[in-house]
Amino acid sequence: LLIEMLSDPDPRVRRFVIDLLGDRKSVAAVDRLCEQLKVEQDPLLVLRAVGALVQIGDRRAVTPMIDLTYQQDSQQTLQIMFAVAVLGGREAEAYLVTLAEGHLDPEVQRGARDALTEMQKRGLVR
């Protein structure tokens, strides 16, 4: 029932449900939260969904998060990039290396290098 409520027209309900699913670390909600990244119109709720996915900690969220950054400005990319780094894995590492070496914004490049360093410290890369 909670997962279905992500389609509620009231953004307050969606915010509550996103937060609750993250707090409960609901692995069953990962696919639907990833879909929410594509359909949610409220940018703050998109970031809340990213946060919920990080709380849950399922790497299936890495690809949808990366896809989300293609539509964002540098500040939002930085926020999402660090969420990707928290989840870790090879795909996250490859994405961050690409940003560190080739993003147009030097701040994003620095952030990607920092995120890679953190991933290495936490043992989330090779």
Side-chain angles (χ1 to χ4, degrees):
L1 179 64
L2 274 178
I3 295 171
E4 294 170 16
M5 293 174 71
L6 288 170
S7 299
D8 195 282
D10 187 338
R12 294 170 299 178
V13 171
R14 294 194 310 276
R15 183 186 73 226
F16 174 78
V17 171
I18 289 168
D19 291 347
L20 190 59
L21 291 169
D23 290 344
R24 290 185 178 180
K25 299 188 185 321
S26 176
V27 174
V30 169
D31 290 335
R32 184 59 182 83
L33 284 167
C34 288
E35 183 63 29
Q36 197 71 17
L37 297 178
K38 297 176 193 171
V39 300
E40 180 59 60
Q41 298 298 307
D42 184 330
L44 294 175
L45 291 183
V46 170
L47 289 178
R48 283 186 107 89
V50 167
L53 287 162
V54 168
Q55 281 183 285
I56 296 166
D58 192 311
R59 287 188 177 163
R60 289 179 292 167
V62 169
T63 299
M65 285 185 193
I66 290 170
D67 291 346
L68 181 62
T69 63
Y70 299 134
Q71 309 161 28
Q72 307 298 324
D73 64 25
S74 292
Q75 277 310 116
Q76 291 165 317
T77 296
L78 279 164
Q79 290 177 309
I80 297 166
M81 174 184 68
F82 281 105
V84 166
V86 169
L87 294 177
R90 287 181 178 209
E91 187 177 11
E93 179 185 18
Y95 170 68
L96 293 171
V97 167
T98 300
L99 291 181
E101 294 176 358
H103 197 278
L104 297 176
D105 186 333
E107 188 177 351
V108 172
Q109 289 179 5
R110 273 191 305 279
R113 285 192 295 273
D114 292 347
L116 280 166
T117 300
E118 267 311 301
M119 281 178 59
Q120 290 165 344
K121 285 180 187 174
R122 293 177 47 227
L124 296 174
V125 295
R126 292 182 235 160

